[in-house]
Amino acid sequence: MKPENLLVRAFDPQDLDPCLAIFDSNCPQFFAADEREKFVHYLIHECLPYYVVIDGISRMVACGGFLVENKVAELTWGMADRSFHGRGIGLLLFKFRLEQIRKARAIALKMDTSQHSLGFYLKLGFQIENKAADGYEPGLDRYDLWMDLKIS
């Protein structure tokens, strides 16, 4: 699957189950099991700008969103189906969200992630702002990351 064969579109409530399947494919390594309920709440009640990535056969392979407050954007609930990790889908989704964030005139970008996806985000230019050992649950550290959009 090549990134140019992928379509990014806005989340629709009918996308709930496929998004949950993507979440489940990433548990427990990338998300704590108790985060599933928070993700469901987000999708149903908060769902700020949120997007899904569809492959050439109408299968959802990734999802993720963001919010902007006081010119600071935050990436929210970004994930690719685990069976598709390492194929450029996460990068495609990040670049799409970054483009939308720049249109919203944000000057900085923040997010949190675990040690398992930290390297991906550091390669994109994020800086570590804080680390909390076992910050999500035992064995799942939390890293708070920051990117200055004025210089990136």
Side-chain angles (χ1 to χ4, degrees):
M1 173 183 330
K2 297 178 181 178
E4 60 268 15
N5 295 333
L6 299 172
L7 167 73
V8 181
R9 66 163 172 78
F11 173 85
D12 181 276
Q14 294 179 350
D15 297 328
L16 178 64
D17 288 339
C19 285
L20 291 175
I22 292 170
F23 178 92
D24 292 341
S25 78
N26 285 287
C27 278
Q29 184 175 358
F30 295 92
F31 294 102
D34 68 352
E35 290 183 283
R36 191 177 201 272
E37 187 176 312
K38 295 173 189 171
F39 183 47
V40 170
H41 182 271
Y42 172 84
L43 290 174
I44 293 173
H45 300 289
E46 296 175 39
C47 201
L48 302 162
Y50 201 75
Y51 303 94
V52 297
V53 180
I54 308 295
D55 72 3
I57 57 171
S58 299
R59 177 180 44 197
M60 190 178 304
V61 295
C63 51
F66 69 91
L67 62 89
V68 178
E69 252 180 42
N70 299 321
K71 295 199 175 210
V72 176
E74 181 173 356
L75 294 180
T76 58
W77 296 106
M79 61 194 88
D81 186 288
R82 185 150 186 183
S83 63
F84 294 99
H85 286 189
R87 297 188 189 184
I89 296 168
L91 180 59
L92 172 101
L93 180 59
F94 172 77
K95 287 179 177 180
F96 179 86
R97 291 189 290 171
L98 183 59
E99 181 181 319
Q100 303 307 309
I101 287 165
R102 288 187 188 282
K103 288 178 184 176
R105 300 186 185 272
I107 60 170
L109 179 56
K110 67 179 184 173
M111 65 169 296
D112 60 270
T113 194
S114 73
Q115 70 270 27
H116 301 295
S117 53
L118 177 64
F120 173 79
Y121 290 105
L122 292 178
K123 287 178 188 175
L124 295 173
F126 280 91
Q127 302 295 316
I128 298 171
E129 187 173 56
N130 189 41
K131 177 191 175 189
D134 302 325
Y136 294 115
E137 67 178 21
L140 199 57
D141 300 338
R142 176 184 168 136
Y143 289 83
D144 295 320
L145 306 178
W146 180 269
M147 177 187 285
D148 185 342
L149 297 179
K150 295 177 292 183
I151 60 172
S152 64

